[in-house]
Amino acid sequence: MVRIAVIGLGYIGLPTAVVLANSGHEVIGVDTNKALVNKVNRHENYVMERGLSKLLQKVITKKLLVAQTSVPRADAFFVCVPTPLIGKRPDLRYLVSAVKSVVPVLKKEDIVIIESTAPPGTTEEIVRPILEKSGLKCEKDFLLAYCPERVLPGDLLYELIHNDRIVGGVGKKAAERARQLYRTFVRGKIYTTDARTAEAVKLMENSFRMVNIALANEFALICEQLDVDIYDAIALANRHPRVKIHAPGPGVGGYCLPKDPWFLIGNILTENSELIRSAFQVNEKMPFHVADLITKALRKKGKNIKRSRITIFGLAYKGNIADTRNSPSKTLISYLKKKGASICVYDPHAKGDDERTCTDIIACVNNADAIIVMCDHDEFKKIDFDELLQNTNDAIIIDTRNIVRRSKKENEV
Ligand code: SAJ
């Protein structure tokens, strides 16, 4: 059992603190947001992930986890704070502030583990000098490691425990100590390397996915022009033993994929990162391509997008989650409003933040000229669209997620 401080109780930090506590460690969760700290101590879960509420209640009730706003003395410190972008540049202010908060309590034999996604070199060139302001020397007195998260929202708790992990140490001793700590709750394999490689690996993983989604989107644009069904084509191509084409969609949202590749290529020569830069452009244009499809389909029905009623199914950035960060739906909605359309958004998961969502699906499609499926929520897969269309003004349907199943295809774009 180790006394562990988890700094940052957000989407990664809270589940990490809970799983560490449930693995028998004494865990102190730390966040500057007093309201979050109070919620944790009242086991009021705010990270909507399957199984987390129950586990949070267990570890709080058993006093295995407590939350507070100050960083305590501990044997291990997990730093799980956001690392957003400012424009296309990493904003490491939260990370720097969190690491600085460890300095006053750092002692010999402690280990500090950074989980926040960061540009290669951050752990050694930014985090290490800050921690050495304590007067202690890295590797000699304290240990430092970098271990990125790789969990899929919607299945986070399972993946936190079962996925393989990469642990990057500043020195072999740190990698081994971090490996031992993760081994107490990770059932997947744990691969050790150096911190810089681990930072790069995380960014390469998400760049790989962002680029491959862009390729799928570009295939969709090509197949539209070729009058080939993209989904049939991908299904057949993926029968090749070494081909795995991703799913095309209306764009790439979330906190990570729109951000992480910029951490990788931000300081790289343009001529050495052309593919990743182009992939961003392909994904970023997808919501506007959807708007173009809507305009053309309405025009075919003698309707003008201006003053049309358009129902958007899905504000979240992907299926079965409530997260709307960087959602392609928001880009599409904002564009359609500028074109004069009247918008109604229906999403059984995402409660509208800056975009109001309707809770009554019939009211939301009432008299609609278009229904745009932007998200693959399971609820949408159960909808009888033939019946739903009866409530609309002969609406067109644009299904960007290939989930609409109908007995007949009329009105579908
Ligand atoms: N998307 C497609 N086609 C695909 C796959 C995804 O259009 O074939 C779209 C989705 O609809 C979504 C976007 O791409 O808009 C990104 O979705 P995602 O599921 O690929 O990835 P994220 O953003 O959910 O990535 C998360 C991140 N983890 C957290 O946010 C806690 C990331 O750091 C993880 O590496 C990733 O899950 C993972 O899968 O491990």
Side-chain angles (χ1 to χ4, degrees):
M1 189 274 276
V2 176
R3 182 176 162 83
I4 300 174
V6 177
I7 304 171
L9 296 176
Y11 204 87
I12 296 298
L14 178 64
T16 301
V18 168
V19 165
L20 282 163
N22 193 48
S23 306
H25 300 294
E26 179 196 357
V27 182
I28 304 94
V30 181
D31 203 289
T32 52
N33 182 331
K34 180 74 178 150
L36 284 195
V37 165
N38 293 337
K39 278 178 179 281
V40 172
N41 288 327
R42 292 194 301 260
H43 50 80
E44 289 171 14
N45 183 27
Y46 48 83
V47 174
M48 294 305 126
E49 283 290 341
R50 198 177 23 248
L52 188 59
S53 297
K54 197 168 164 208
L55 214 48
L56 174 61
Q57 181 181 16
K58 175 188 167 191
V59 294
I60 292 292
T61 313
K62 291 191 164 189
K63 300 197 183 327
L64 292 168
L65 168 65
V66 68
Q68 59 188 54
T69 54
S70 60
V71 178
R73 295 180 75 80
D75 308 318
F77 299 84
F78 283 63
V79 179
C80 308
V81 295
T83 49
L85 279 176
I86 296 182
K88 302 281 186 252
R89 305 295 303 165
D91 175 3
L92 301 180
R93 282 174 296 175
Y94 298 112
L95 178 60
V96 167
S97 168
V99 172
K100 281 181 177 172
S101 69
V102 173
V103 173
V105 295
L106 191 65
K107 67 184 187 302
K108 285 198 171 190
E109 295 308 308
D110 284 355
I111 183 166
V112 179
I113 296 173
I114 307 300
E115 288 211 354
S116 306
T117 304
T122 300
T123 304
E124 286 172 298
E125 294 155 21
I126 295 178
V127 173
R128 176 179 186 156
I130 294 172
L131 291 174
E132 289 186 330
K133 287 203 173 82
S134 62
L136 298 173
K137 286 298 284 174
C138 185
E139 294 188 70
K140 176 176 166 296
D141 299 321
F142 69 88
L143 299 174
L144 177 57
Y146 177 80
C147 178
E149 57 81 10
R150 43 166 66 157
V151 289
L152 189 66
D155 208 6
L156 189 146
L157 215 48
Y158 178 85
E159 292 212 346
L160 198 58
I161 293 164
H162 293 87
N163 283 0
D164 293 354
R165 292 295 286 252
I166 310 291
V167 173
V170 177
K172 286 196 177 0
K173 194 177 167 194
E176 182 48 30
R177 174 85 88 68
R179 193 189 65 77
Q180 288 164 12
L181 261 179
Y182 280 98
R183 179 45 69 214
T184 60
F185 71 87
V186 170
R187 293 194 203 146
K189 293 190 182 67
I190 299 173
Y191 299 94
T192 57
T193 182
D194 61 271
R196 195 180 193 83
T197 302
E199 288 162 335
V201 163
K202 168 66 184 176
L203 300 172
M204 289 164 67
E205 289 167 0
N206 280 349
S207 299
F208 169 84
R209 291 169 52 246
M210 189 279 288
V211 169
N212 277 280
I213 293 165
L215 179 62
N217 287 332
E218 188 147 282
F219 283 155
L221 299 175
I222 291 168
C223 284
E224 250 176 55
Q225 216 175 313
L226 296 175
D227 197 18
V228 166
D229 183 299
I230 178 65
Y231 300 106
D232 292 348
I234 289 175
L236 291 169
N238 284 352
R239 302 296 300 152
H240 184 294
R242 287 171 297 286
V243 171
K244 179 81 181 80
I245 300 170
H246 282 46
V252 169
Y255 183 69
C256 301
L257 269 61
K259 164 178 77 85
D260 291 1
W262 286 115
F263 280 16
L264 184 65
I265 65 173
N267 294 323
I268 300 299
L269 291 170
T270 305
E271 57 265 34
N272 293 345
S273 51
E274 287 166 332
L275 178 62
I276 293 172
R277 292 169 194 275
S278 307
F280 271 119
Q281 290 168 3
V282 172
N283 290 331
E284 284 158 11
K285 77 180 174 187
M286 292 312 286
F288 302 101
H289 179 69
V290 174
D292 190 39
L293 291 175
I294 298 170
T295 305
K296 288 178 179 154
L298 287 173
R299 195 177 296 138
K300 270 192 190 158
K301 285 185 164 277
K303 296 179 179 178
N304 185 321
I305 199 161
K306 199 174 169 62
R307 294 184 303 283
S308 290
R309 276 180 59 76
I310 300 176
T311 302
I312 305 288
F313 274 14
L315 187 60
Y317 76 83
K318 68 177 185 179
N320 301 324
I321 63 168
D323 197 336
T324 63
R325 288 175 294 181
N326 297 312
S327 171
S329 296
K330 289 184 169 182
T331 308
L332 175 65
I333 290 163
S334 160
Y335 182 78
L336 292 174
K337 282 182 174 175
K338 284 195 190 103
K339 290 291 181 186
S342 150
I343 303 293
C344 187
V345 183
Y346 177 68
D347 189 317
H349 290 263
K351 298 301 156 248
D353 30 34
D354 45 6
E355 185 58 50
R356 207 171 43 78
T357 55
C358 174
T359 51
D360 175 347
I361 188 169
I362 300 301
C364 203
V365 302
N366 181 39
N367 204 27
D369 299 295
I371 297 176
I372 318 302
V373 179
M374 291 290 284
C375 221
D376 45 348
H377 292 325
D378 288 343
E379 290 83 352
F380 294 164
K381 296 171 184 171
K382 297 169 192 153
I383 291 171
D384 178 340
F385 278 89
D386 292 325
E387 189 185 323
L388 196 67
L389 278 173
Q390 307 309 318
N391 300 281
T392 70
N393 178 27
D394 188 27
I396 58 159
I397 297 179
I398 294 181
D399 173 14
T400 72
R401 299 291 188 173
N402 191 34
I403 57 170
V404 173
R405 295 292 172 264
R406 295 182 57 211
S407 50
K408 39 197 181 301
K409 284 270 181 189
E410 94 278 350
N411 281 33
E412 277 190 55
V413 176

